[in-house]
């Protein structure tokens, strides 16, 4: 068992370090956890009533001390090494990890487009430990309940627990397959999509001793399982197809190794997995798994890299192994040797949790202090986009403060929001005190959402009312432009067009182009034009806005790492914007469409920088900050009025 665990963690670490993706190792952990705990609980039920409180105390003693040490180390290293823009996200996730809720934090982020653009956190890998912790909490209750129904009769307990686990297996696997097909990022972190893996391990625990397999067959099964695990991460894109039916591959391979068992043969896979190095790696596997990911992330951050080379990868693994060995011998083993008793275990867990929460809280207070703005957009020190007209900004602290930059979104969800009639998302309307003179719909993806920050001051001054119909990564088109043929994006686009037809606004604002990158990749997709024609047929004017550039780095992180004047934190204008925009070369543009070229509002004559007029232009690698687009209002107002003819 230790050898199989060692193989799983070795694969996870290797795939993380060199391929930035996981193998099915975590699925193997889940299966092994189900296998071990189910067997222990069934044996305990044969000796008398199961006492979940005692079980939980032992689990906390095994899991929390090591996890607490890793989280405390991450707080210290994170405060010293991470860009300030990543502090708030990391603090949230550290607290979630300490409470065994990291998977739900990541699941929530997966359906929140703003949060989904966060970079990988240093504790993201705690999602699997969180699911295991939830399993260790629920499983003793489940087996205790089944044992109670079975009245302690072993045969009856075996039969009823088998039926229960089969039901959980089928229900959870079915749910996993369905949710993975419709919302894979959410499914990846959802606890119930992984429940079948624990049930699978539990079924093996109940039946493995009753499976009679010839020795030669067991030899083949063992090696087939090991080979399958080794191949899994190379063949499957785990980050995009798991869990679903794809997770049957690593769990099935692990089951083969377990069924093969102790073959007693020199040619058996179990002989390899039973060697002393494999056994020791299995002993330290928990600490190794927890340490390797923050070491990897800190390495990438400090080296300003997205990938790891051979020497860097070996160094990361070496450092992780050293930390794991020290933690195993200095924390894990001494704590397990303590005679704490039930109450002592809970006191130790409470103390460890308090230490992590207090450390994270202190870091959060530092972030709050750093996040206090020193000035406001539009004052003499922070002209933002107006600096492009020659206004001298002088030297002043940048806005938004770097620690809060990832949260600098145009918050349309704070407006008056109601569900769309034909799709389960909201349309949000700006509150007004008097009947508006004009009603304008802003429709499209997150880029037009951020641009709407420039429209808000204009609307407030001229008594317009804005309605935002938005879906991240789904521009207003008749096609799914970002993810080809994405059903939800297609359905939303259709629903958005029909919602606009119902509203009959005075104008619509949407994107004119997309994919503005180095290499002059900007385009106006045919689907954009088709939607414009639909609006033309409704008699609705359209203002189509040229998109802002996208980069291969985070603007605010670059500014913090290399300085506010660094040339590394921008791009030559001619590399991303052609002199003639793509929509100007279209054969047929509907007469209801006017265009707004914002290239002069996000770039100077030569460069598209990360900071203009003491205001950060971008909140990540492609989204304008709400602070900057607010500063664009005075720059684009006359062009907006001219485009609408108002």
């Amino acid at each position: 068992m230790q050898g199989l665990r060692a193989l799983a963690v070795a694969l996870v670490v290797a795939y993380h370090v060199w391929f930035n993706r996981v193998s099915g190792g975590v699925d193997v952990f889940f299966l092994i956890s189900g296998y071990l705990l189910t067997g222990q609980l069934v044996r305990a039920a044969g000796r008398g009533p199961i006492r979940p409180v005692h079980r939980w105390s032992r689990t906390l003693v095994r899991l929390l001390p090591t996890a607490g040490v890793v989280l405390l180390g991450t707080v210290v290293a994170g405060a010293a090494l991470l860009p300030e823009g990543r502090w708030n996200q990391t603090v949230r996730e550290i607290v979630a990890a300490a409470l065994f809720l990291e998977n739900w934090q990541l699941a929530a982020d997966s359906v929140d487009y703003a949060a989904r653009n966060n970079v990988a956190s240093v504790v993201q890998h705690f999602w699997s430990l969180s699911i295991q912790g939830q399993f260790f909490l629920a499983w003793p209750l489940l087996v205790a309940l089944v044992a109670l129904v079975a009245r302690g009769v072993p045969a009856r307990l075996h039969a009823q627990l088998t039926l229960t686990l089969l039901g959980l297996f089928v229900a959870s696997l079915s749910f996993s397959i369905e949710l993975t097909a419709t919302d894979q990022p959410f499914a990846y972190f959802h606890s119930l999509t992984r429940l079948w893996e624990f049930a699978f391990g539990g079924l093996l625990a109940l039946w493995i001793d009753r499976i009679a397999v010839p020795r030669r067959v067991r030899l083949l099964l063992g090696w087939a399982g090991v080979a399958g695990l080794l191949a899994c991460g190379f063949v499957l894109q785990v980050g995009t197809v798991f869990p679903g039916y794809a997770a049957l591959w690593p769990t099935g391979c692990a089951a083969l190794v377990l069924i093969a068992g102790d073959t007693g043969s020199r040619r058996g896979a179990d002989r390899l997995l039973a060697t002393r190095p494999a056994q020791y790696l299995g002993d330290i596997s928990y600490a190794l798994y927890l340490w390797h990911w923050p070491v990897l992330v800190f390495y990438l951050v400090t080296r300003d890299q997205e990938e790891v080379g051979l020497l860097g990868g070996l160094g990361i693994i070496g450092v992780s192994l050293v930390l794991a060995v020290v933690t195993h011998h200095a924390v894990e083993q001494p704590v397990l040797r303590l005679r704490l008793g039930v109450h002592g275990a809970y006191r130790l867990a409470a103390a460890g949790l308090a230490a992590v929460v207090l450390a994270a809280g202190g870091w959060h207070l530092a972030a709050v202090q750093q996040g206090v703005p020193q000035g406001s957009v539009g004052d003499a020190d922070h002209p933002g986009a107006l600096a492009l007209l020659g206004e001298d900004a002088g030297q002043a602290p940048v806005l938004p403060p770097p620690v809060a930059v990832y949260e600098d979104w145009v918050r349309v969800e704070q407006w008056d929001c109601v569900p769309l009639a034909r799709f389960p998302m909201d349309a949000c309307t700006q509150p007004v005190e008097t009947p508006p003179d004009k009603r304008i719909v802003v429709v499209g993806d997150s880029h037009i959402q951020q641009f709407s920050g420039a429209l808000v001051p204009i609307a407030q001054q001229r008594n317009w009312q804005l309605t935002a119909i938005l879906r991240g990564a789904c521009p207003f088109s008749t096609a799914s432009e970002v993810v080809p043929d994405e059903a939800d994006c297609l359905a939303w686009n259709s629903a958005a067009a029909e919602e606009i037809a119902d509203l009959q606004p005075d104008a619509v604002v949407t994107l004119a182009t997309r994919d503005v990158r180095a290499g002059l990749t900007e385009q106006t997709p045919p689907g954009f034009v088709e939607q414009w024609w639909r609006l033309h047929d409704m008699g609705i004017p359209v203002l189509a806005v040229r998109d802002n550039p996208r980069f291969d780095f985070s603007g605010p992180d670059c500014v913090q790492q290399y300085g506010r004047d660094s040339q590394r934190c921008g791009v030559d204008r001619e590399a991303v914007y052609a002199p003639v925009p793509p929509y100007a070369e279209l054969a047929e543009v509907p007469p209801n469409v006017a265009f707004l070229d914002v290239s002069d509002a996000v770039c100077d004559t030569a460069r598209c920088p990360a900071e203009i007029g003491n205001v950060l232009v971008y909140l990540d690698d492609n989204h304008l900050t709400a602070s900057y687009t607010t500063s664009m209002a005075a720059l684009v107002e006359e062009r907006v009025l001219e485009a609408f003819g108002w």
Side-chain angles (χ1 to χ4, degrees), residues 169-191:
F169 178 90
V170 172
S172 173
L173 180 57
S174 300
F175 175 67
S176 179
I177 292 171
E178 180 181 359
L179 189 59
T180 301
T182 57
D183 191 348
Q184 189 272 335
F186 185 55
Y188 194 89
F189 300 113
H190 200 296
S191 298

Side-chain angles (χ1 to χ4, degrees), residues 246-558:
L248 286 167
W249 182 328
T251 53
C253 291
L256 293 180
V257 175
L258 291 176
I259 293 171
D262 183 3
T263 63
S265 171
R266 294 182 178 180
R267 295 175 294 174
D270 55 296
R271 183 174 177 83
L272 171 66
L273 298 178
T275 59
R276 285 194 174 184
Q279 294 292 311
Y280 186 73
L281 184 59
D283 290 337
I284 67 170
S285 61
Y286 176 51
L288 176 59
Y289 177 76
L290 294 186
W291 276 119
H292 86 280
W293 181 256
V295 172
L296 169 62
V297 173
F298 287 133
Y299 174 87
L300 294 175
V301 168
T302 55
R303 298 295 296 270
D304 190 26
Q305 295 177 349
E306 293 185 1
E307 296 182 355
V308 178
L310 178 60
L311 290 179
L314 292 174
I316 290 168
I317 292 175
V319 171
S320 302
L321 282 168
V322 170
L323 290 171
V325 169
V326 171
T327 306
H328 176 70
H329 291 287
V331 179
E332 278 185 308
Q333 290 300 303
V335 169
L336 289 176
R337 285 195 293 266
L338 294 175
R339 297 182 178 180
L340 293 171
V342 175
H343 297 295
Y346 283 108
R347 284 195 293 269
L348 176 66
L353 180 61
V356 173
V357 172
L358 286 173
W363 193 7
H364 176 66
L365 288 176
V368 169
Q369 281 190 321
Q370 294 284 86
V372 176
Q374 299 185 40
S376 59
V377 174
D379 65 26
D381 292 329
H382 301 93
L386 291 178
L388 296 171
L389 299 180
E391 289 198 18
D392 184 14
Q395 292 295 319
V398 72
L399 291 179
V403 74
V405 67
Y406 282 150
E407 299 164 15
D408 198 39
W409 290 83
V410 177
R411 294 295 181 181
V412 299
E413 72 275 7
Q414 297 176 358
W415 297 355
D416 297 330
C417 299
V418 296
L420 295 174
R422 303 165 186 87
F423 193 85
M425 289 188 72
D426 287 346
C428 297
T429 300
Q430 185 184 23
V432 292
E433 295 180 358
T434 60
D437 294 334
K438 301 289 183 182
R439 295 181 302 115
I440 300 170
V441 168
V442 179
V443 61
D445 65 3
S446 55
H447 278 215
I448 201 66
Q449 172 181 341
Q450 291 305 91
F451 173 76
S452 69
L455 298 177
V456 170
I458 303 172
Q460 291 172 338
Q461 181 179 349
R462 297 186 175 274
N463 196 33
W464 299 348
Q465 185 177 48
L466 304 179
T467 294
I469 304 176
L470 305 167
R471 179 179 171 84
C474 187
F476 189 52
S477 175
T478 56
S480 177
E481 303 291 350
V482 178
V483 180
D485 300 320
E486 182 187 2
D488 281 352
C489 181
L490 294 170
W492 175 86
N493 263 309
S494 177
E498 294 185 42
E499 189 79 14
I500 293 170
D502 292 342
L503 292 172
Q504 284 296 304
D506 295 292
V508 165
V509 179
T510 190
L511 286 181
T513 64
R514 65 174 302 270
D515 206 27
V516 182
R517 301 178 187 271
L520 301 178
T521 58
E522 184 182 17
Q523 57 179 294
T524 298
F528 283 21
V529 182
E530 291 172 4
Q531 287 287 33
W532 301 343
W533 277 110
R534 291 181 66 178
L535 296 175
H536 170 270
D537 295 341
M538 300 176 197
I540 300 174
V542 175
L543 176 62
V545 182
R546 194 175 190 182
D547 201 6
N548 61 265
R550 297 171 181 263
F551 303 94
D552 58 1
F553 57 87
S554 167
D557 286 0
C558 182

